[in-house]
Structure formats: C-alpha cells, structure tokens
Amino acid sequence: MSSSRLTSSLYLLAFALLLQNVLGTDPLFSRCSSTTNSTATSSYKTSLSVLMGSINHLAPAEGFALGSLGQTNLDRPYGLVLCRGDVSSSDCRTCAVIAAREIRKSCPNSKRAIIAYDNCLLKYSDTDFFGQIDDENKVYMWNVNNVSNPVLFHEKTVELLSRLATKASFNSTKLYAAGEMDLPEGSTKLYGMAHCTRDLSSADCKKCLDGAIGELPRVAYGKQGARVVGGSCMVIYEIYPFVKA
C-alpha cells in the first residue's frame, strides 16, 4: 500500500472512531425477549412503531420521554427513551433514532427489548414498567489499566459517586449529576457521573444508583475507570474528563 493510501485509511479510521464516540453508533448492549408469550402481534408492532416515533420526537427537548399506546392490553406497548444528561439535543435525537431502528431490526418480533448506547437508552415492554427499578438489564464495562493504590482509589470513587448519586436523586429534575474530585496522588483527578431514568422516584433513583455503586468492587476493583449501565440507572467514573460539553 502506498503512503498516501495508508494515510487516507488512517484518517478514515480516525474519523470512524470519532463518529462512534460522538454519536454512540455502537450499542453498549441490547437484549430481546425470547419466549413464545413475548412474540409481538401485528397490532402490537403497529402500536410500537407509532409509540417509538412519538417518544423519539419528544425526547430531544428534555432528554427523556415515555409513553404507552394501544386499544387493549394485548397491543399496548410501554416505552421510554433516556438521553445521557450531558448530550446535546441533536445528539440525543440522532441516538434515539438509531436506537429505535436498530432494536426493531435486532428484535423484530419481541414484545420486550432494550438497547443502550453511550448517548442514550431505549426500552419497551408489553407490561407497565414505569416507576420500577430494572435490575434485570445491566452491563459492566471497565478500563483495563490498574491504579497504583486500589484501596484508596476505591474509597475515593465510592465517595464521589455516592455524592453524585445523592445530588442526582434529590437535587436535579433530570435525575442527573456529574462532578470531579482531586485525588491525593497530586495532579490526578477523578471524574464521575450518575443518572437515572425519570420515571423513578427520587428514593428509587438513589436506591438504583447505590446498588450500581455497590457492584463496582466486584466488577472493577482497582481499575482506572468503569461504568455500570442498567435499564433504570447508570454510574460512570474515569481519571480523565468524559462529560460532553
């Protein structure tokens, strides 16, 4: 390969990675219902299509939307879209559209499904899940690099995330908070985020976030960064700034 072609390929790769980071085009996880009782009828699919279009239209303005639609319980889906509290309205809209398209493509006959991206979360079900903590759908991700003092680092991580969990739950209409903390090592800072879907009460948001924080020692003890992303809440921490401007 010539040097010019190699350079062009590298630029394309860099652009693709940037696009993925900005728009969140690769899902963090997705899940479909697989039981016979969860197979969608044509009327359910029609209701779901209209519902997805409606909440995707509403979500960018406030970063969140939910609703249900249908004449009977048999064809009535319940759905919500949550965009991360730090993303713009345009990125929220883009992510919600991609999420709706991809989940319908991946789960064409499912009554229940969920898909999570870096920028947004979308889920729907044939049962009313609004106001209930979703402990079933969850994904864990972590930085492969280790910290030099895991005991102290974990202590500070829990301190920061617990503070953000309280702020998100009781001092934010968006049930969202982000912040940072200086670490004793010197120049290093710790950055965190806590966020809940807005169908939860403040008390349940705090409960969900505390549960996610409590799982970090099991999945990411001593790691420089990690996130727990669930169907009702998420927590993230890193040693570099990650909140989108």
Side-chain angles (χ1 to χ4, degrees):
M1 179 182 292
S2 67
S3 60
S4 61
R5 289 180 62 189
L6 176 59
T7 301
S8 298
S9 297
L10 290 175
Y11 276 128
L12 286 173
L13 176 59
F15 178 75
L17 292 173
L18 176 64
L19 190 66
Q20 175 182 326
N21 181 57
V22 171
L23 299 182
T25 51
D26 279 353
L28 303 177
F29 79 98
S30 62
R31 193 166 295 158
C32 317
S33 59
S34 57
T35 63
T36 304
N37 291 337
S38 296
T39 301
T41 62
S42 59
S43 58
Y44 183 90
K45 291 179 182 180
T46 299
S47 297
L48 180 61
S49 180
V50 175
L51 176 63
M52 287 295 100
S54 175
I55 62 177
N56 282 352
H57 175 72
L58 295 172
E62 296 294 332
F64 177 75
L66 58 71
S68 63
L69 181 71
Q71 297 298 317
T72 69
N73 289 334
L74 295 177
D75 65 2
R76 181 179 297 126
Y78 300 79
L80 68 74
V81 174
L82 173 72
C83 289
R84 223 171 78 168
D86 58 331
V87 304
S88 66
S89 294
S90 59
D91 284 349
C92 175
R93 180 180 297 105
T94 299
C95 188
V97 169
I98 291 173
R101 182 186 68 214
E102 294 304 313
I103 198 64
R104 298 298 301 278
K105 194 184 300 180
S106 301
C107 311
N109 298 310
S110 296
K111 283 187 176 180
R112 302 168 200 152
I114 182 171
I115 189 166
Y117 288 82
D118 191 41
N119 283 353
C120 69
L121 165 80
L122 180 151
K123 66 176 180 175
Y124 59 83
S125 175
D126 60 328
T127 58
D128 184 354
F129 60 83
F130 300 153
Q132 302 173 36
I133 297 175
D134 182 355
D135 286 321
E136 184 178 334
N137 298 295
K138 204 171 289 185
V139 66
Y140 309 93
M141 305 175 72
W142 55 88
N143 190 315
V144 296
N145 297 314
N146 296 316
V147 297
S148 57
N149 188 340
V151 175
L152 178 61
F153 186 80
H154 175 66
E155 178 185 313
K156 292 300 181 181
T157 299
V158 171
E159 181 182 341
L160 174 61
L161 291 179
S162 296
R163 174 161 56 85
L164 295 176
T166 298
K167 184 178 180 180
S169 301
F170 301 108
N171 297 301
S172 170
T173 56
K174 290 186 175 182
L175 300 185
Y176 163 81
E180 61 188 61
M181 171 187 287
D182 290 320
L183 294 176
E185 282 78 0
S187 60
T188 305
K189 282 190 174 185
L190 182 64
Y191 301 85
M193 176 186 292
H195 201 188
C196 295
T197 57
R198 280 180 249 167
D199 59 314
L200 295 185
S201 66
S202 292
D204 280 342
C205 175
K206 183 63 162 58
K207 182 179 179 181
C208 185
L209 292 170
D210 284 346
I213 295 167
E215 291 185 278
L216 287 172
R218 178 176 61 84
V219 298
Y221 184 77
K223 299 299 182 182
Q224 290 182 1
R227 67 174 71 184
V228 180
V229 180
S232 291
C233 69
M234 73 167 74
V235 292
I236 308 174
Y237 76 88
E238 295 287 355
I239 59 170
Y240 59 84
F242 63 85
V243 173
K244 305 176 194 296

